[in-house]
Amino acid sequence: MTTPFPFTAVVGQDDLRLALLLNAVSPAVGGVLVRGEKGTAKSTAVRALSALLPEVPVVPGCRFSCDPASPDPGCPDGPHEAGGGAERPARMVELPVGASEDRLVGALDIERALSEGVKAFEPGLLADAHRGILYVDEVNLLHDHLVDLLLDAAAMGASYVEREGVSVRHAARFLLVGTMNPEEGELRPQLLDRFGLTVEVAASREPDQRVEVVRRRLAYDDDPAAFAARWAEEEVAVRARIVAARELLPSVRLGDGALRQIAATCAAFEVDGMRADIVMARTATALAAWAGRTDVLAEDVRQAALLALPHRRRRNPFDAPGLDEDKLDETLEEFGGSDDDDPDPDSGPDGPGGGGGQPEPDDAPQGDGDTAARPEAGESGQPQPSGAGEQSPAPASEPFRTKVLSVPGIGEGAAGRRSRARTEHGRTTGARRPRGALTKLHLAATVQAAAPHQRARGRSGPGLVVRRDDLRQATREGREGNLVLFVVDASGSMAARQRMSAVKGAVLSLLLDAYQRRDKVGLVTFRGTAADVALPPTSSVDAAAARLETLPTGGRTPLAAGLLRAHDVLRVERLRDPARRPLVVLVTDGRATGGPEPVALAGRAARLFAADGVASVVVDCESGPVRLGLAGQLAGELGGTAVTLDELRADSIAGLVKDVQRRAA
């Protein structure tokens, strides 16, 4: 068995360690979402936490980890008698991003259920994680149907598996911990709110601390067991402190003054619902217990707000999480409770924060890296070609709700909400023989296949004699996510400030639509003499919005170069993800200048997309009383369709939703 990296050996990352320890003290806090750049010990710290958790008493032989003191009356392995049990280490169960539904919730043997009338159930990861930790690395890349199952289990504390009227239920209460890199896409709001706390992590910019990180990692890689032994004493101390804090937790008093501060803070920052108030109250109580106190102080409320509120203030995927600390301090001072006056900041073993309970003198100062390590939008943007008459970036106008643009036909790509596709979820459209394990039974088709053979099989009772060959898998149709590749004209003909502001607003609106429909997005821009891939295909629509914000304009219009660069991007992406169908959104007025025969060259480049069968739409940005109709002609070359900026709005007079469709040859 691999020796895990010791939790107490993690250098720095005070907020991350504290958030994890608070959940160890009080699992009711609701879990942790760890956001940050790659290589910042996110996964290392989470995996190390399980070694610090106290052992769990379980009913011997129960696959669902029932508590012997109060066993689950509906346990599939029950009923259990209350009484003595055995203890085992707390589990940390990892949920792979590509896991199947059956792997998560468990699998019911439909064949045995139909033919033998028994509930043969194989528990899934939710059963394994009961009373432990469920860890999801890259949680923002988790498929929608798995997210839905997690939401249900987290809300109800139980998992339900139902297959054609046969159902199994078992308890599933777990500490949900997720890690993610925001550059790869954001988390959907419903799941984001299920995490009690969130932490932003970044690599330290202090050379001494970085040296210590490397030194410890190399020592661990050389001899994991010896390295763990060096930190065994610190691990035992933190484990004992967790146990002591758990015992103290029921005695912690949350006074009216602290409650008023919590309520006032949540109201001041306009968070949705009441979950934030409850999480802050539980977090502040856990902070006091961790510090060895029985009273919640104002400092506990402040720290709880910094951990529980930032991710609940996002109103759209382009908002950066964060909290105005000056406003927080003003609110706490205004609503300070009389029962929290004159707090002693040094009370408890390590003060109110506890510093993660770790004896490291080399921790970097608080607030050192979270903002410094995340590149601003302009830093990571691609260099733009120079061109005559370059203007400073224009701000985007207000986004709006757009019409649905979808790829024609039926695909088989990743689950999403844009185009029709054959999926594991959705409405049933037919039946087929199962390939491999049966997952979605088509009951009517199964009965129809078995019915003609009942006499030959010697049926004598009321039951139906069903064999493996009779089983039919339901075929279902749902929606898939697509690759939406934006190709944006940033040339001089688009450079009028009001016009470019409207164009950016339209692209921002389409990006918001892509986020809601679970698409990947990419951004190609062209101006001057060349085209650039401003953003390779990614799930991070907010990264695309950041590139768009800093997009300058000016110069000639190398339309052909933009189309050819987009064609190259699609060719490479087709090799990486062949099942995901692309949708090209070309934002231009249709003009082509620069070089010999620019219009003819652009036409030839456009016909490449038509030959490959790539769905496309041209957003016509031409304005003024006299229109040349060049964008419409270009759409014909692409084999797609054209819409104006006004027609792109869902509430425009233009009428019904317009699907992208190929023009008849």
Side-chain angles (χ1 to χ4, degrees):
M1 181 177 178
T2 304
T3 303
F5 192 92
F7 186 87
T8 50
V10 175
V11 179
Q13 308 296 11
D14 291 344
D15 286 344
L16 169 59
R17 293 180 296 166
L18 178 60
L20 292 171
L21 289 168
L22 291 178
N23 275 274
V25 171
S26 175
V29 166
V32 187
L33 174 65
V34 188
R35 297 164 45 94
E37 58 193 19
K38 51 188 175 293
T40 49
K42 299 189 298 292
S43 300
T44 299
V46 174
R47 291 189 175 99
L49 176 66
S50 60
L52 295 178
L53 298 181
E55 291 192 333
V56 178
V58 296
V59 173
C62 178
R63 298 174 297 167
F64 302 88
S65 301
C66 281
D67 186 348
S70 56
D72 180 9
C75 175
D77 284 355
H80 305 299
E81 294 184 2
E87 290 194 342
R88 62 160 175 77
R91 290 175 180 164
M92 191 197 74
V93 178
E94 292 195 43
L95 171 60
V97 170
S100 65
E101 178 181 337
D102 286 345
R103 184 71 187 97
L104 177 62
V105 301
L108 190 64
D109 192 328
I110 301 297
E111 184 176 356
R112 291 189 62 192
L114 289 176
S115 59
E116 302 176 25
V118 298
K119 294 182 181 180
F121 181 70
E122 185 67 29
L125 296 177
L126 290 181
D128 293 341
H130 179 48
R131 304 176 67 205
I133 302 173
L134 181 62
Y135 172 48
V136 189
D137 194 12
E138 306 294 353
V139 64
N140 50 322
L141 303 182
L142 202 62
H143 290 305
D144 271 5
H145 66 283
L146 297 182
V147 170
D148 293 336
L149 293 169
L150 276 182
L151 289 174
D152 289 343
M156 297 183 294
S159 174
Y160 293 84
V161 183
E162 299 199 16
R163 296 287 189 272
E164 303 297 338
V166 182
S167 64
V168 174
R169 172 216 165 272
H170 65 83
R173 291 182 294 275
F174 47 82
L175 172 60
L176 183 61
V177 181
T179 56
M180 60 174 283
N181 184 347
E183 294 179 356
E184 297 173 338
E186 282 296 340
L187 202 59
R188 60 188 279 191
Q190 294 91 333
L191 184 56
L192 188 64
D193 190 52
R194 284 294 174 186
F195 287 98
L197 310 179
T198 186
V199 178
E200 294 278 339
V201 298
S204 172
R205 297 303 186 253
E206 291 292 329
D208 290 343
Q209 193 174 72
R210 295 175 75 95
V211 166
E212 185 61 22
V213 170
V214 175
R215 181 181 292 120
R216 293 185 187 182
R217 186 69 214 190
L218 293 177
Y220 171 77
D221 290 341
D222 288 342
D223 192 341
F227 183 82
R230 285 170 45 195
W231 293 90
E233 185 176 343
E234 287 81 355
E235 294 279 289
V236 170
V238 174
R239 189 181 298 110
R241 188 173 171 188
I242 291 174
V243 173
R246 283 187 173 186
E247 294 174 352
L248 182 62
L249 188 64
S251 303
V252 175
R253 186 177 71 93
L254 183 64
D256 289 343
L259 274 174
R260 280 183 58 81
Q261 287 183 317
I262 290 171
T265 300
C266 292
F269 286 101
E270 300 180 347
V271 297
D272 295 331
M274 295 298 299
R275 183 173 286 121
D277 303 62
I278 296 170
V279 170
M280 273 191 65
R282 290 171 174 167
T283 304
T285 304
L287 279 162
W290 177 247
R293 289 185 270 100
T294 56
D295 287 307
V296 174
L297 306 181
E299 286 81 356
D300 300 325
V301 176
R302 186 181 192 278
Q303 182 66 59
L306 293 174
L307 292 172
L309 296 188
H311 62 300
R312 293 186 164 89
R313 297 194 63 245
R314 290 175 62 107
R315 290 294 182 266
N316 66 64
F318 310 133
D319 292 339
L323 215 60
D324 184 340
E325 296 194 31
D326 291 336
K327 181 178 179 180
L328 173 61
D329 291 335
E330 291 173 3
T331 303
L332 293 176
E333 183 176 354
E334 180 181 355
F335 292 89
S338 59
D339 56 350
D340 289 336
D341 289 341
D342 301 323
D344 179 9
D346 295 323
S347 60
D350 290 327
Q358 305 194 37
E360 297 180 47
D362 54 351
D363 285 357
Q366 286 287 348
D368 163 60
D370 277 3
T371 55
R374 289 196 307 273
E376 297 297 330
E379 290 180 22
S380 52
Q382 298 293 324
Q384 299 289 340
S386 60
E390 178 175 315
Q391 299 185 9
S392 60
S397 62
E398 282 296 314
F400 52 85
R401 189 166 63 91
T402 66
K403 292 183 176 180
V404 181
L405 305 176
S406 60
V407 178
I410 300 180
E412 295 182 348
R417 296 185 177 180
R418 183 172 296 279
S419 305
R420 296 171 57 201
R422 298 183 184 90
T423 63
E424 288 294 319
H425 303 269
R427 64 185 182 90
T428 301
T429 58
R432 60 172 173 80
R433 292 181 180 273
R435 305 185 188 101
L438 177 70
T439 56
K440 302 290 183 181
L441 177 73
H442 194 298
L443 185 58
T446 299
V447 172
Q448 187 176 9
H453 308 291
Q454 296 306 295
R455 181 175 297 178
R457 293 173 182 174
R459 172 185 168 185
S460 57
L464 192 69
V465 180
V466 179
R467 294 181 179 173
R468 172 69 184 175
D469 291 343
D470 302 327
L471 299 179
R472 294 295 182 267
Q473 175 89 15
T475 57
R476 303 195 176 193
E477 182 179 307
R479 294 278 168 176
E480 68 177 359
N482 298 112
L483 166 60
V484 182
L485 181 62
F486 294 93
V487 186
V488 180
D489 184 350
S491 63
S493 65
M494 303 279 289
R497 198 161 188 81
Q498 184 175 1
R499 184 179 181 187
M500 197 62 198
S501 179
V503 167
K504 285 188 175 182
V507 177
L508 195 65
S509 303
L510 289 166
L511 283 171
L512 185 58
D513 182 68
Y515 166 77
Q516 294 168 343
R517 299 185 186 281
R518 312 291 183 259
D519 295 317
K520 290 179 71 173
V521 296
L523 179 62
V524 173
T525 64
F526 57 95
R527 55 181 287 269
T529 60
D532 290 303
V533 181
L535 183 71
T538 175
S539 297
S540 179
V541 295
D542 52 339
R547 303 296 196 277
L548 183 72
E549 182 181 354
T550 58
L551 178 65
T553 57
R556 294 183 177 274
T557 311
L559 179 56
L563 292 172
L564 291 174
R565 180 58 62 92
H567 190 268
D568 287 342
V569 170
L570 294 183
R571 177 179 54 81
V572 173
E573 192 64 19
R574 194 176 294 116
L575 297 175
R576 294 175 177 168
D577 192 356
R580 188 181 292 268
R581 297 187 295 165
L583 170 63
V584 173
V585 178
L586 176 59
V587 185
T588 181
D589 56 10
R591 291 181 172 86
T593 60
E597 299 183 349
V599 176
L601 188 59
R604 288 197 294 272
R607 286 191 288 274
L608 289 175
F609 290 88
D612 289 344
V614 176
S616 59
V617 61
V618 178
V619 179
D620 185 358
C621 301
E622 193 174 24
S623 59
V626 179
R627 296 174 180 264
L628 302 178
L630 298 176
Q633 297 175 22
L634 182 61
E637 299 281 3
L638 285 165
T641 190
V643 295
T644 65
L645 288 174
D646 289 336
E647 292 171 342
L648 193 60
R649 293 178 177 270
D651 55 356
S652 70
I653 304 176
L656 300 175
V657 169
K658 190 178 281 187
D659 281 348
V660 179
Q661 54 187 1
R662 296 186 182 89
R663 180 169 296 183

